[in-house]
Amino acid sequence: MLSERTIEIIKSTVPVLAKQGTEITSHFYKRMLSNHPELLNIFNHTNQQKGRQQTALATTLYAAAERIDQLETILPVVKQIAHKHRSLGVKKEHYPIVGENLLAAMKEVLGDLATDEIISAWEEAYNEIANVFIELEQRMYADAENMEGGWKDFKPFVVVDKVKESSVITSFYLKPKDNAVLPSFLPGQYVTVKVKIDGHQYLLNRQYSLSDAPGKEYFRISVKREAEPDQPKGVVSNYLHDDVQIGDELNISVPAGDFTLDVTQNSPVVFISGGVGVTPIMSMLNTIAKENPSRPVRFVHSAKNEDVHAFRLEVKELMNRLPNGTSFICYTEPSRQESANHTGYLTKDILKQFISENADYFICGPVPFMKAVINYLKELGVASENIHYEFFGPALQIEQPKGSTI
Ligand SMILES: Cc1cc2nc3c(=O)[nH]c(=O)nc-3n(C[C@H](O)[C@H](O)[C@H](O)COP(=O)(O)OP(=O)(O)OC[C@H]3O[C@@H](n4cnc5c(N)ncnc54)[C@H](O)[C@@H]3O)c2cc1C
Ligand code: HEM
């Protein structure tokens, strides 16, 4: 239990720390990764360079500190992060390393403002927050290992098939090398793929959503080749596309994530995806077709054009099996005469036709796409608890959390 005085100090310093934005967390990461370069085998180096991880950590830490006397209220956020931590192999023994470097970074950035009393209050608060993560993650590790077909950390899988879904997206069908039974998962979950690439000193980790229904003899991931002009080529996605062939092995974590469809419900679902954000939705759609085909489903998908539009035939075929299913396709930059329901971006007016009572909305796509869609849905009166979304990178805030000053 934290003392009243500690709670008071923490709450009064959050606004000061938040004002420094990500300065402290950026300094913290540099400091920690130079003292503990072995952690570069866990952290995503690109997210570091782009600053997105620093923002995610700062936002969460300050939000937790603001609610330090009622930490149970941040459990949903902790759960989402703990899933990511578990899929990457973040362990109990890593927390003191983060704590030590975070406090040192606070001192170094804030200078005289960080009095001994403030630092020791933050040490207590960090330990309290860390314990919430550690406890939840310990349970997740035990579940992942003890579930039917489960395993500890990473296990080798063999690529048994590689299928081109569009000019930029390719699916990899993966079977465990030890031929063990596959664990079940919830549609929408992802795995972490850990690879060693020649020329890279450290191991690289990336998350990929499972794109087919659970209960098959394989896991399917579908990967977009990240290769925008004027930007560095995506390291792992290009490696997977170019260098990983049928028969090769990939190290995979047990499925994780809380962007999941409740398959026990019959209520309407509206799937809204942009580009490769369609992958977790494909798992959800395949699962509904397999287990509950009469459930009302709207599948809304936006792609640049037909060439990059993945799973076009698979969705068509699935829709034939869903008597209450409809699809709506947008092409934002059609390259020729192409058949879509709409040319251009999704608008609030278009989304209006998909609003239905009691529906749940599942959204995944590029960040600006998600922001626009979520804001439209809210303006159209959809309650926050019915809107579910997944970021393909460290989570960003779509809107200010209620009651937060950050
Ligand atoms: C929960 C989750 C699920 C996901 N599911 C999928 C999925 O199903 N399919 C899928 O394809 N992806 C998915 N992703 C994304 C995936 O994990 C990878 O982020 C993606 O494949 C890119 O990895 P990369 O190594 O190829 O690119 P990286 O090397 O990590 O680069 C990423 C992007 O950043 C740009 N970049 C690199 N360096 C810099 C720099 N210094 N400054 C600015 N820009 C830079 C690159 O050009 C590239 O566009 C998911 C992510 C998450 C978190
Ligand atoms: C209380 C302490 C911690 C907090 C508040 C915290 C917070 C976060 C947040 C907000 C994210 C982004 C989640 C997302 O993807 O949306 C994240 C991801 C991550 N965290 Fe933590 N974390 C903590 C401790 C740790 C520790 C101890 C480690 C291991 C050294 C760690 C390693 C990671 C890694 C590797 C990622 C993924 C980042 C990436 O790949 O870019 N975290 N954490």
Side-chain angles (χ1 to χ4, degrees), residues 28-29 32 39 43 57 61 93-104 126:
F28 147 74
Y29 274 115
M32 179 175 75
L39 292 179
F43 279 95
L57 180 69
L61 214 52
E93 53 272 24
H94 292 130
Y95 280 84
I97 302 177
V98 166
E100 186 194 322
N101 284 282
L102 192 64
L103 292 170
Y126 172 79

Side-chain angles (χ1 to χ4, degrees), residues 329-331 338-343:
I329 306 298
C330 285
Y331 288 148
E338 291 170 350
S339 61
N341 302 90
H342 173 72
T343 300

